[in-house]
Amino acid sequence: MVKYLIATVLFISISSCHEIQTDKLIGSWKMKDLDKNIEDKTTFTKDNLLIREFISHGKTIEKDVFNYSLKNNIIIMKFKNQDSDFKIVKLNDSEMELFNIKENKVIRYVKF
């Protein structure tokens, strides 16, 4: 457990040394490592909206719209009086990794 915590802190420290090109965030992303029967489509817009859809067998089963802001490589999502913070640890044209600060885990995405 201690090794995992130290590795996580080190990973975040190293990744925070450079500024992410946030224009690469805009567009649609698909979550990796998700149940094979459910697909996630997460779309970041230039208007600071985040649209998250869960799709099963080609049909949208859940859709939520969030407001988001970006500061120092942290995405702050606002939904129904709740904030969730995600540290961008990797972002390029085809892959994105977000560190969920509350849950202490990395969520991996590929461009949709």
Side-chain angles (χ1 to χ4, degrees):
M1 178 70 170
V2 174
K3 289 180 185 179
Y4 175 74
L5 183 58
I6 291 170
T8 301
V9 170
L10 181 62
F11 183 64
I12 292 170
S13 297
I14 291 170
S15 66
S16 64
C17 292
H18 66 284
E19 191 67 25
I20 299 287
Q21 292 180 332
T22 55
D23 59 320
K24 295 179 187 255
L25 180 67
I26 305 302
S28 295
W29 298 88
K30 178 180 176 180
M31 192 182 302
K32 291 172 101 177
D33 310 320
L34 196 61
D35 183 330
K36 292 183 183 194
N37 294 325
I38 297 176
E39 187 174 302
D40 162 85
K41 181 179 179 185
T42 302
T43 304
F44 291 89
T45 71
K46 291 180 182 179
D47 309 3
N48 290 20
L49 290 179
L50 183 149
I51 303 161
R52 179 178 286 156
E53 298 176 73
F54 289 100
I55 302 162
S56 179
H57 304 291
K59 295 183 181 180
T60 300
I61 57 173
E62 185 178 335
K63 182 176 181 178
D64 293 310
V65 178
F66 303 79
N67 288 309
Y68 78 91
S69 58
L70 190 59
K71 184 176 180 180
N72 298 325
N73 296 338
I74 303 282
I75 299 171
I76 303 162
M77 295 181 199
K78 298 176 188 277
F79 182 72
K80 295 182 181 178
N81 299 325
Q82 294 182 342
D83 291 353
S84 296
D85 299 346
F86 296 86
K87 172 83 174 159
I88 300 172
V89 292
K90 179 179 184 178
L91 180 60
N92 59 42
D93 291 329
S94 60
E95 295 179 300
M96 172 172 65
E97 291 182 1
L98 302 178
F99 179 73
N100 184 324
I101 295 171
K102 287 181 185 175
E103 295 181 13
N104 195 34
K105 74 177 194 178
V106 173
I107 304 165
R108 302 180 313 149
Y109 293 86
V110 292
K111 200 70 163 191
F112 202 80

